[in-house]
Amino acid sequence: MSTDQILAFAVIAAMMAAFIWDKLRYDVVACSALLCAVAVGIVPFDKAFSGFSDDIVIIVASALIVSSAVARSGIVDTLIKKYFPEMRSKGLQLAFLMIVVAVMSAFIKNIGALAIMMPVAFQFARKSGTPVSFYLMPMAFAALLGGLMTQLGTSHNIVVSRLREEMTGQSFSMFDFTPVGLVLTVIGITFLTFGYRLLPVRNQRDTSVEEILEKSAYTAEASIPADSPIKDKSLNDLLKQGDGAVIATTILRGHRRISPFPDVVLKAGDTLLLEGNANDLDRVVTSAKLKLSGKPLTGNGQKQSDVIAVEAVIDNVSILHGLTAKELALSYTRGVNLIAVNRRGQRLNQRLSDLPLMTGDVIVLQGSSKNIGHALKEFDLLPLAQREILLGTRRRAILPLLVLAAAMAAAATGFAPVSVSFFAAAFAMIAIGAIPLTDIYKSVDGPILVMLAALIPVSDTLRTTGASDLIATWLGETAKGMPPFMALGLILLAAMAVTPFLNNAATVLVMGPIAAGFATTLGFKPEAFLMAVAIGAGCDFLTPIGHQCNTLVMGPGGYRFSDYPRLGLPLSLLIVITSIPMLLYVWPAS
């Protein structure tokens, strides 16, 4: 081995040890490895930051934004309620998600299938009170397995087909991958349905101030317009939209106050006092097309570009203490709405306009940036956090799905690369208001992107130093004289070992000719060996860096690097054990 090859192996081995040690955050480890690789000269200065422009970074960032926008649209929650209202079992939910992701991955990009279904996982997690980590990693693995079933399932299957055509004059067809891929997918999903217990319980991150605020229970006042779908239905039908997270404290019908029993039939013109956090209130108000109190700040269902919502505490020197919104005429004299109030430890049963405000109340004011700023200063309010609350804003729920479908179609037909398609979709989500500007960079998950960008040039040192060629030579020497099943297993294991450090297509390009050479040297047909390379390249279950699907779920799931082999290692062994006899049965070596 040359000095550069020794250094490449040493840097990558030290990096993997640091990941497994798990005492430093993954982006710090990746940046440290990059600096070491630059310092010892195996990554040139002009290539040190090439990873930041890599397509994988763009795809992951864009997919996170797209997934977040689809989740915020409310369409996912609507579809679940309509078609799967009784799906309460966590095991059944997990199996459902994995099956859908796997089937979709057979025909569209697996990261796209995963991005479509991630919001569903978040909905299931919220309803059941289960950490979302229960769902996301098995879904990512199911997406990888589903990609094995067809030629279009993943890009490296297409590369394998091209290699076979170059070697034999005939490429693999669309469904040549299906017999083996389908069996592996069924066995893999069956294992994951029960094997998820190997995963530790993970939360996304430590609870932040913003997340505590998001869980605060506010009281909002909403009336039922004549066109509301909840008109002439029971209160229970309305509250079902909040999955038990929203309660009604009072129903006002004219001058009458009605007790909020579940079977009370709601009438047009009724006013309800609803209690819940901002997101749950928004779901109920939006699904039932309720009208919030205060002066309308939107037109034609579109959110005004300058309208924001600010949560603030009424200070002990504020003139608001003891006054009501009606007395102040906030909507008309200040151009802001009082849309929700939180009074810790108390349940409110008065109209917000008639509610005397008190020191310590947390209120939500909605209005333009200018008007909100004047109100905060005039009333001596202490702002807690500025975040865009979509409470009561009617969104075009179908638009995010149309944008995502257009991106998937563009990528599937070759009209545009996956990176461009998803980047355009992310930008379109922002342009149509499907995700607030303030939430874009929260969705992107910076540490994950930094880790990816730093690791790309480090991983590429295996290729640039010739270390990957050295590995190929070692494999060639080792495989001489082996029987078919052992040679096939060696190729499969080698492809699985290499793919975390090379992208999937690069793994196929490096290992494909080696596999074909094995077959020729041993006097076997190349098809089973090429298929083994495709399976090995598509089955990276051991790290979060080998495939963008694994990376995509790392941040949202709160996973650590060491979590992946806990579930992925037994799955990988199961895939190896199943693949070898299946490949030799479907593609005989002689």
Side-chain angles (χ1 to χ4, degrees), residues 198-258:
L198 296 171
L199 281 175
V201 176
R202 298 293 188 202
N203 294 311
Q204 184 174 358
R205 54 183 178 273
D206 294 336
T207 303
S208 65
V209 173
E210 290 78 7
E211 290 168 328
I212 293 174
L213 291 173
E214 287 178 0
K215 296 178 181 178
S216 299
Y218 287 104
T219 297
E221 177 185 328
S223 59
I224 302 176
D227 63 345
S228 172
I230 206 65
K231 184 185 69 170
D232 298 326
K233 294 185 178 180
S234 70
L235 176 62
N236 188 51
D237 291 330
L238 171 66
L239 298 183
K240 280 181 180 179
Q241 307 303 315
D243 296 314
V246 173
I247 63 172
T249 59
T250 301
I251 301 174
L252 302 173
R253 183 170 294 165
H255 297 291
R256 294 173 56 202
R257 186 179 295 269
I258 301 174

Side-chain angles (χ1 to χ4, degrees), residues 118-199:
M118 278 178 63
V120 185
F122 283 107
Q123 295 286 355
F124 283 158
R126 182 186 54 77
K127 288 180 182 179
S128 62
T130 304
V132 75
S133 59
F134 172 85
Y135 303 97
L136 292 185
M137 190 185 294
M139 286 172 63
F141 290 172
L144 298 184
L145 290 168
L148 303 177
M149 291 194 288
T150 67
Q151 187 182 42
L152 293 179
T154 187
S155 57
H156 63 264
N157 285 0
I158 299 174
V159 177
V160 164
S161 297
R162 190 180 69 200
L163 286 175
R164 187 200 184 197
E165 185 176 17
E166 292 174 355
M167 295 172 185
T168 67
Q170 181 181 2
S171 67
F172 289 117
S173 67
M174 174 73 171
F175 296 105
D176 280 346
F177 297 83
T178 305
V180 178
L182 179 60
V183 170
L184 295 181
T185 300
V186 171
I187 290 176
I189 289 178
T190 302
F191 165 77
L192 291 169
T193 301
F194 303 97
Y196 70 86
R197 295 179 178 84
L198 296 171
L199 281 175

Side-chain angles (χ1 to χ4, degrees), residues 43 67 79 86 92 95 158 243 273 351 363 428 504 522 563:
V43 173
S67 177
L79 292 174
E86 303 303 325
L92 184 61
I158 299 174
D243 296 314
L273 293 180
R351 288 181 181 269
I363 61 176
N504 308 100
L522 299 173
D563 291 341

Side-chain angles (χ1 to χ4, degrees), residues 65-81:
I65 293 174
V66 169
S67 177
S68 179
V70 172
R72 293 180 66 90
S73 71
I75 188 65
V76 172
D77 193 55
T78 301
L79 292 174
I80 291 174
K81 285 186 172 67

Side-chain angles (χ1 to χ4, degrees), residues 197-389:
R197 295 179 178 84
L198 296 171
L199 281 175
V201 176
R202 298 293 188 202
N203 294 311
Q204 184 174 358
R205 54 183 178 273
D206 294 336
T207 303
S208 65
V209 173
E210 290 78 7
E211 290 168 328
I212 293 174
L213 291 173
E214 287 178 0
K215 296 178 181 178
S216 299
Y218 287 104
T219 297
E221 177 185 328
S223 59
I224 302 176
D227 63 345
S228 172
I230 206 65
K231 184 185 69 170
D232 298 326
K233 294 185 178 180
S234 70
L235 176 62
N236 188 51
D237 291 330
L238 171 66
L239 298 183
K240 280 181 180 179
Q241 307 303 315
D243 296 314
V246 173
I247 63 172
T249 59
T250 301
I251 301 174
L252 302 173
R253 183 170 294 165
H255 297 291
R256 294 173 56 202
R257 186 179 295 269
I258 301 174
S259 298
F261 293 118
D263 58 350
V264 170
V265 177
L266 302 174
K267 303 293 184 180
D270 284 355
T271 297
L272 299 94
L273 293 180
L274 302 172
E275 184 179 298
N277 69 46
N279 291 331
D280 293 324
L281 286 171
D282 174 53
R283 244 186 5 264
V284 171
V285 170
T286 302
S287 62
K289 298 182 179 179
L290 303 183
K291 182 181 178 182
L292 287 172
S293 61
K295 181 181 178 181
L297 297 176
T298 58
N300 298 322
Q302 293 293 327
K303 194 170 177 25
Q304 294 178 358
S305 59
D306 192 38
V307 173
I308 62 173
V310 170
E311 295 153 300
V313 176
I314 299 178
D315 193 17
N316 56 6
V317 299
S318 173
I319 64 171
L320 288 183
H321 178 76
L323 297 177
T324 67
K326 181 187 292 185
E327 290 171 336
L328 293 166
L330 286 177
S331 298
Y332 296 96
T333 62
R334 274 80 174 184
V336 298
N337 286 334
L338 175 67
I339 62 173
V341 177
N342 171 272
R343 184 167 292 171
R344 181 73 60 182
Q346 294 188 36
R347 178 159 292 169
L348 306 177
N349 57 10
Q350 289 179 266
R351 288 181 181 269
L352 295 190
S353 59
D354 298 329
L355 177 72
L357 300 173
M358 297 176 57
T359 298
D361 284 353
V362 181
I363 61 176
V364 179
L365 296 177
Q366 188 182 53
S368 69
S369 300
K370 179 180 178 181
N371 292 340
I372 288 286
H374 288 326
L376 292 174
K377 184 176 181 180
E378 178 183 358
F379 298 130
D380 293 309
L381 300 175
L382 304 176
L384 293 179
Q386 179 174 315
R387 58 189 177 100
E388 190 155 352
I389 297 178

